[in-house]
Amino acid sequence: MTTPTPATDPNTTEEEIQDHKLVIYQMMTRLFGNKKALNKTYGTLQENGVGKFNDITDKALQEIKKLGATHVWYTGVIEHALMTDYSKFGVHLDDADVVKGRAGSPYAIKDYYDVNPDLAVDVKNRMKEFEALVQRTHNNGLKMIIDFVPNHVARYYGSDAKPNGVEDFGTQDNKTVSFKASNNFYYIPGEALKVPNTYNPLSGNYRGPQEDSKFNENPAKVTGNDVFSASPSENDWFETVKLNYGVDIQNNRTKHFSPTPDTWGKMRDILLYWAGKGADGFRCDMAEMVPVEFWAWVIPQVKAKHSNIKFIAEIYNPKEYHNYIRTGGFDYLYDKVGLYDGVRRLMENRGQGNTAEITKVWREESRGISNHMLRFLENHDEQRLASSEFAGTPWAAVPAMTVSATLGSGPVMVYFGQEVGEPGKGHEGFQGEDGRTTIFDYWGVPAHQAWMNGGKFDGGKLTEDQKRLREFYTKLLNLSTNREAIRKGKFYALTAEENSAPKGVYAYLRHTAEERVLVLVNFNREAANYSLTLPTAALANMGVEAKGSFILQDLLTDTPPLLLQPSVKTSITLAPLSAHVFLLQNK
């Protein structure tokens, strides 16, 4: 009988091994340092407060690094449409008809060359405060990521900070035609924009330009989510307009890439501008709504000048994964449709989840892209896992986050407050009460504020339960970057859908020539008994002789060491919502 090899054994994966693992700490920058706790629905900046660049202190960054982070993703840095009036500083006052919430969407960019004035203590020196944050981040041994929003801009776009020689989008457009390859926007000739008449959340309480449905845009531009109508709905991205990359969307999506579309050059210059400011990476919003040919053109140009910069694509179509990695040149892609959706069903406690979905993920992604996938349980778009709309308890993260962090060598991400069980309660404004932390309104984030402790960043106001949760995240994230087997090891599944493991239990190996770890998780909310065995095939795959005994030392919990013999079943009782990462060593 021949021993299965990695190429033929269905339980193994062939990977592009990477000798590093990114741990990304995402923060909604305007919320991170906010100390106010009023949390009034649709509250103003003065009422509900706002965090500043300066609130992200050396101490804060040191604690984020201790958590295990290698990168900080500062969400909402680039200037976007909002309702707060900064006109005395020369900042265009936005019309409330086309701003969602009081603080506005961070993805409705109104000046690609400036930063959000909300984030500055001294608005006139807002760029200097941002540059100081970049330096502070680097000084504390962290790298920084910002958003790049290529698909759409705010209804009003106009840069007052652009470098000499830069033209605003649309300046030279021919507005009499719907599509022209050299235009920056798409148009609906002969029709004026009609703002959704259902959008009036503030009921006239806002002191400033009212939602009076009189925002003037004629001819109407096409809405950001490809809505070719002068009357977008409230559920559309009506506050944004679609950028034109030379694709005639209404004519079979025909491509006009020669000569190079004007939008391409403008976007390349924007990326180079922020890379020059010290950005170590870009999280590219809705990257799949922009043609892959643009990415294949622009990413090499940026990397030619900034070789270590990383590009992360928000993408939800698995059929395009290989294309955006191989052709487009992205370093990493969101693993939302795969692992996130699969483990979410396991976490929701509705009996609908199945660990076979994890098996499906690594099998589908095993053809050279698994280590390019960014795993997460929370981000600014998703519900808080502790919310009643999701898992209902932050401890459901223990098995799910362990799998997310250790299944592959690609990045893993946490969203600020996740590590202390933020439940996302409250009706903040535009989004309503939906289990998410708002991206549209001014707000305080209570569990995060307890850790922040008035700017001490020492966890002084956390409960004992929150402290234990944060300790779990700290152990997991640090071992995911420090342990060689997780950072760059190969994968071998011990449980799969055809095996007889209890429902909700999953086990696998990660291994290099020097180190082997065994990950064992229980998604169930009750204890589970599992018969653990190390098959001869698994040992052969790791290059280990099937003789003698093995000691399993838990790196994640205080579980006493286990003694294991090859091909002999060892019964283990797994606690509810538990995880173990065992270091496997010869006795």
CSV table of all heavy atoms in Angstrom, one decimal, residues 123-155:
chain,number,residue,atom,x,y,z
A,123,VAL,N,-8.4,71.8,12.4
A,123,VAL,CA,-8.9,71.4,11.1
A,123,VAL,C,-7.9,71.9,10.0
A,123,VAL,O,-7.7,71.3,9.0
A,123,VAL,CB,-10.3,72.0,10.9
A,123,VAL,CG1,-10.8,71.7,9.4
A,123,VAL,CG2,-11.3,71.3,11.8
A,124,LYS,N,-7.3,73.1,10.2
A,124,LYS,CA,-6.4,73.7,9.2
A,124,LYS,C,-5.2,72.8,9.0
A,124,LYS,O,-4.6,72.8,8.0
A,124,LYS,CB,-6.0,75.1,9.6
A,124,LYS,CG,-7.1,76.1,9.5
A,124,LYS,CD,-6.6,77.5,9.8
A,124,LYS,CE,-7.7,78.6,9.6
A,124,LYS,NZ,-7.2,79.9,10.0
A,125,ASN,N,-4.8,72.1,10.1
A,125,ASN,CA,-3.6,71.3,10.1
A,125,ASN,C,-4.0,69.8,10.0
A,125,ASN,O,-3.2,68.9,10.5
A,125,ASN,CB,-2.7,71.6,11.2
A,125,ASN,CG,-2.1,72.9,11.1
A,125,ASN,OD1,-1.5,73.3,10.1
A,125,ASN,ND2,-2.2,73.7,12.2
A,126,ARG,N,-5.1,69.4,9.4
A,126,ARG,CA,-5.6,68.1,9.5
A,126,ARG,C,-4.6,67.1,8.8
A,126,ARG,O,-4.5,66.0,9.3
A,126,ARG,CB,-7.0,67.9,8.9
A,126,ARG,CG,-7.2,68.5,7.5
A,126,ARG,CD,-8.7,68.5,7.1
A,126,ARG,NE,-8.9,69.0,5.8
A,126,ARG,CZ,-9.0,70.3,5.5
A,126,ARG,NH1,-8.8,71.2,6.4
A,126,ARG,NH2,-9.3,70.7,4.2
A,127,MET,N,-4.0,67.5,7.7
A,127,MET,CA,-3.1,66.6,7.1
A,127,MET,C,-1.8,66.3,7.9
A,127,MET,O,-1.3,65.2,8.0
A,127,MET,CB,-2.7,67.1,5.7
A,127,MET,CG,-1.9,66.1,4.8
A,127,MET,SD,-2.6,64.5,4.5
A,127,MET,CE,-3.8,65.0,3.2
A,128,LYS,N,-1.4,67.3,8.6
A,128,LYS,CA,-0.2,67.2,9.5
A,128,LYS,C,-0.5,66.2,10.6
A,128,LYS,O,0.3,65.4,11.0
A,128,LYS,CB,0.3,68.5,10.0
A,128,LYS,CG,0.9,69.4,9.0
A,128,LYS,CD,1.4,70.7,9.6
A,128,LYS,CE,2.1,71.6,8.5
A,128,LYS,NZ,2.5,72.9,9.1
A,129,GLU,N,-1.8,66.3,11.1
A,129,GLU,CA,-2.2,65.4,12.2
A,129,GLU,C,-2.2,63.9,11.7
A,129,GLU,O,-1.9,63.0,12.4
A,129,GLU,CB,-3.5,65.8,12.8
A,129,GLU,CG,-3.4,67.1,13.6
A,129,GLU,CD,-4.7,67.5,14.3
A,129,GLU,OE1,-5.5,66.6,14.6
A,129,GLU,OE2,-4.8,68.7,14.6
A,130,PHE,N,-2.7,63.8,10.4
A,130,PHE,CA,-2.7,62.4,9.9
A,130,PHE,C,-1.3,61.9,9.7
A,130,PHE,O,-1.0,60.8,10.0
A,130,PHE,CB,-3.4,62.5,8.5
A,130,PHE,CG,-3.2,61.2,7.7
A,130,PHE,CD1,-3.9,60.0,8.1
A,130,PHE,CD2,-2.4,61.1,6.6
A,130,PHE,CE1,-3.7,58.8,7.4
A,130,PHE,CE2,-2.2,60.0,5.9
A,130,PHE,CZ,-2.9,58.8,6.3
A,131,GLU,N,-0.4,62.8,9.1
A,131,GLU,CA,1.0,62.4,8.9
A,131,GLU,C,1.7,62.0,10.2
A,131,GLU,O,2.5,61.1,10.3
A,131,GLU,CB,1.7,63.5,8.2
A,131,GLU,CG,1.3,63.7,6.8
A,131,GLU,CD,1.8,65.0,6.2
A,131,GLU,OE1,2.3,65.9,6.9
A,131,GLU,OE2,1.7,65.2,4.9
A,132,ALA,N,1.3,62.7,11.3
A,132,ALA,CA,1.9,62.4,12.6
A,132,ALA,C,1.4,61.0,13.1
A,132,ALA,O,2.1,60.2,13.7
A,132,ALA,CB,1.5,63.4,13.6
A,133,LEU,N,0.1,60.7,12.8
A,133,LEU,CA,-0.4,59.3,13.1
A,133,LEU,C,0.3,58.2,12.3
A,133,LEU,O,0.6,57.2,12.9
A,133,LEU,CB,-1.9,59.3,12.8
A,133,LEU,CG,-2.6,57.9,12.9
A,133,LEU,CD1,-2.4,57.4,14.4
A,133,LEU,CD2,-4.0,57.9,12.5
A,134,VAL,N,0.6,58.5,11.0
A,134,VAL,CA,1.3,57.5,10.2
A,134,VAL,C,2.7,57.3,10.9
A,134,VAL,O,3.1,56.1,11.1
A,134,VAL,CB,1.5,58.0,8.8
A,134,VAL,CG1,2.4,57.1,8.0
A,134,VAL,CG2,0.2,58.2,8.1
A,135,GLN,N,3.4,58.3,11.3
A,135,GLN,CA,4.7,58.2,11.9
A,135,GLN,C,4.6,57.5,13.2
A,135,GLN,O,5.4,56.6,13.5
A,135,GLN,CB,5.3,59.6,12.1
A,135,GLN,CG,6.8,59.5,12.5
A,135,GLN,CD,7.7,58.9,11.5
A,135,GLN,OE1,7.7,59.3,10.4
A,135,GLN,NE2,8.4,57.9,11.9
A,136,ARG,N,3.5,57.8,14.0
A,136,ARG,CA,3.3,57.2,15.3
A,136,ARG,C,3.1,55.7,15.1
A,136,ARG,O,3.6,54.9,15.9
A,136,ARG,CB,2.2,57.9,16.0
A,136,ARG,CG,2.1,57.8,17.5
A,136,ARG,CD,1.3,58.9,18.1
A,136,ARG,NE,0.0,59.0,17.6
A,136,ARG,CZ,-0.5,60.1,17.0
A,136,ARG,NH1,0.3,61.1,16.7
A,136,ARG,NH2,-1.7,60.2,16.5
A,137,THR,N,2.3,55.3,14.1
A,137,THR,CA,2.0,53.9,13.9
A,137,THR,C,3.3,53.2,13.5
A,137,THR,O,3.6,52.1,14.1
A,137,THR,CB,1.0,53.8,12.7
A,137,THR,OG1,-0.2,54.6,13.0
A,137,THR,CG2,0.6,52.4,12.4
A,138,HIS,N,4.1,53.7,12.7
A,138,HIS,CA,5.3,53.1,12.3
A,138,HIS,C,6.3,53.0,13.4
A,138,HIS,O,7.0,52.0,13.6
A,138,HIS,CB,6.0,53.8,11.1
A,138,HIS,CG,5.2,53.6,9.8
A,138,HIS,ND1,5.3,54.5,8.8
A,138,HIS,CD2,4.3,52.7,9.4
A,138,HIS,CE1,4.5,54.1,7.8
A,138,HIS,NE2,3.9,53.0,8.2
A,139,ASN,N,6.4,54.1,14.2
A,139,ASN,CA,7.3,54.1,15.4
A,139,ASN,C,7.0,53.0,16.4
A,139,ASN,O,7.8,52.6,17.2
A,139,ASN,CB,7.2,55.4,16.1
A,139,ASN,CG,7.9,56.5,15.3
A,139,ASN,OD1,8.6,56.3,14.3
A,139,ASN,ND2,7.7,57.8,15.6
A,140,ASN,N,5.7,52.6,16.4
A,140,ASN,CA,5.3,51.5,17.4
A,140,ASN,C,5.3,50.1,16.7
A,140,ASN,O,4.7,49.2,17.3
A,140,ASN,CB,3.9,51.9,17.9
A,140,ASN,CG,4.0,53.0,19.0
A,140,ASN,OD1,4.4,52.7,20.1
A,140,ASN,ND2,3.6,54.2,18.6
A,141,GLY,N,6.0,50.0,15.6
A,141,GLY,CA,6.2,48.7,15.0
A,141,GLY,C,5.0,48.1,14.3
A,141,GLY,O,4.9,46.9,14.1
A,142,LEU,N,4.1,49.0,13.9
A,142,LEU,CA,2.9,48.6,13.1
A,142,LEU,C,2.9,49.2,11.7
A,142,LEU,O,3.5,50.3,11.5
A,142,LEU,CB,1.6,49.0,13.9
A,142,LEU,CG,1.3,48.4,15.2
A,142,LEU,CD1,0.4,49.2,16.0
A,142,LEU,CD2,0.8,46.9,15.0
A,143,LYS,N,2.2,48.6,10.8
A,143,LYS,CA,2.0,49.1,9.5
A,143,LYS,C,0.6,49.6,9.4
A,143,LYS,O,-0.3,49.1,10.2
A,143,LYS,CB,2.4,48.1,8.4
A,143,LYS,CG,3.9,47.8,8.4
A,143,LYS,CD,4.3,46.8,7.3
A,143,LYS,CE,5.8,46.6,7.3
A,143,LYS,NZ,6.2,45.7,6.2
A,144,MET,N,0.3,50.5,8.4
A,144,MET,CA,-1.0,51.0,8.3
A,144,MET,C,-1.6,50.9,6.9
A,144,MET,O,-0.9,50.9,5.9
A,144,MET,CB,-1.0,52.5,8.8
A,144,MET,CG,-0.1,53.4,8.0
A,144,MET,SD,-0.8,54.2,6.5
A,144,MET,CE,-2.0,55.2,7.3
A,145,ILE,N,-2.9,50.6,7.0
A,145,ILE,CA,-3.7,50.4,5.8
A,145,ILE,C,-4.8,51.5,5.8
A,145,ILE,O,-5.4,51.8,6.8
A,145,ILE,CB,-4.4,49.0,5.8
A,145,ILE,CG1,-3.3,47.9,5.7
A,145,ILE,CG2,-5.4,48.8,4.6
A,145,ILE,CD1,-3.8,46.5,6.0
A,146,ILE,N,-5.1,52.0,4.6
A,146,ILE,CA,-6.2,52.9,4.4
A,146,ILE,C,-7.1,52.4,3.3
A,146,ILE,O,-6.7,51.6,2.5
A,146,ILE,CB,-5.8,54.4,4.2
A,146,ILE,CG1,-5.1,54.6,2.9
A,146,ILE,CG2,-5.0,54.9,5.4
A,146,ILE,CD1,-4.9,56.0,2.5
A,147,ASP,N,-8.3,52.9,3.2
A,147,ASP,CA,-9.3,52.6,2.2
A,147,ASP,C,-8.9,53.3,0.9
A,147,ASP,O,-8.5,54.5,0.9
A,147,ASP,CB,-10.7,53.0,2.5
A,147,ASP,CG,-11.2,52.2,3.7
A,147,ASP,OD1,-11.7,51.1,3.5
A,147,ASP,OD2,-11.2,52.8,4.8
A,148,PHE,N,-9.0,52.6,-0.2
A,148,PHE,CA,-9.0,53.2,-1.5
A,148,PHE,C,-10.4,52.9,-2.1
A,148,PHE,O,-10.8,51.7,-2.2
A,148,PHE,CB,-7.9,52.6,-2.4
A,148,PHE,CG,-7.9,53.1,-3.8
A,148,PHE,CD1,-7.9,54.4,-4.1
A,148,PHE,CD2,-8.0,52.1,-4.9
A,148,PHE,CE1,-7.9,54.8,-5.5
A,148,PHE,CE2,-7.9,52.6,-6.2
A,148,PHE,CZ,-7.9,53.9,-6.5
A,149,VAL,N,-11.1,53.9,-2.5
A,149,VAL,CA,-12.5,53.7,-3.0
A,149,VAL,C,-12.5,54.1,-4.5
A,149,VAL,O,-12.7,55.2,-4.9
A,149,VAL,CB,-13.5,54.7,-2.2
A,149,VAL,CG1,-14.9,54.4,-2.6
A,149,VAL,CG2,-13.2,54.5,-0.7
A,150,PRO,N,-12.4,53.1,-5.3
A,150,PRO,CA,-12.2,53.3,-6.8
A,150,PRO,C,-13.5,53.4,-7.6
A,150,PRO,O,-13.4,53.8,-8.7
A,150,PRO,CB,-11.3,52.1,-7.2
A,150,PRO,CG,-11.8,51.0,-6.3
A,150,PRO,CD,-12.2,51.6,-5.0
A,151,ASN,N,-14.6,52.8,-7.1
A,151,ASN,CA,-15.8,52.6,-7.9
A,151,ASN,C,-16.7,53.8,-8.0
A,151,ASN,O,-17.4,54.0,-9.0
A,151,ASN,CB,-16.5,51.4,-7.4
A,151,ASN,CG,-17.8,51.2,-8.2
A,151,ASN,OD1,-17.8,50.8,-9.3
A,151,ASN,ND2,-19.0,51.4,-7.5
A,152,HIS,N,-16.7,54.6,-6.9
A,152,HIS,CA,-17.6,55.7,-6.9
A,152,HIS,C,-17.1,56.9,-6.0
A,152,HIS,O,-16.2,56.7,-5.2
A,152,HIS,CB,-19.0,55.2,-6.3
A,152,HIS,CG,-18.9,54.4,-5.1
A,152,HIS,ND1,-18.8,53.0,-5.1
A,152,HIS,CD2,-18.8,54.7,-3.8
A,152,HIS,CE1,-18.6,52.6,-3.9
A,152,HIS,NE2,-18.6,53.6,-3.0
A,153,VAL,N,-17.7,58.0,-6.2
A,153,VAL,CA,-17.4,59.2,-5.3
A,153,VAL,C,-18.7,59.8,-4.8
A,153,VAL,O,-19.8,59.4,-5.2
A,153,VAL,CB,-16.6,60.3,-6.1
A,153,VAL,CG1,-15.3,59.7,-6.5
A,153,VAL,CG2,-17.4,60.7,-7.4
A,154,ALA,N,-18.6,60.8,-4.0
A,154,ALA,CA,-19.8,61.5,-3.5
A,154,ALA,C,-20.5,62.2,-4.6
A,154,ALA,O,-19.9,62.6,-5.6
A,154,ALA,CB,-19.4,62.5,-2.4
A,155,ARG,N,-21.8,62.5,-4.4
A,155,ARG,CA,-22.5,63.2,-5.4
A,155,ARG,C,-21.9,64.6,-5.8
A,155,ARG,O,-21.8,65.0,-6.9
A,155,ARG,CB,-24.0,63.5,-5.0
A,155,ARG,CG,-24.9,62.3,-5.1
A,155,ARG,CD,-25.3,62.0,-6.5
A,155,ARG,NE,-26.0,60.8,-6.7
A,155,ARG,CZ,-26.4,60.2,-7.8
A,155,ARG,NH1,-26.1,60.8,-9.0
A,155,ARG,NH2,-27.0,59.1,-7.9
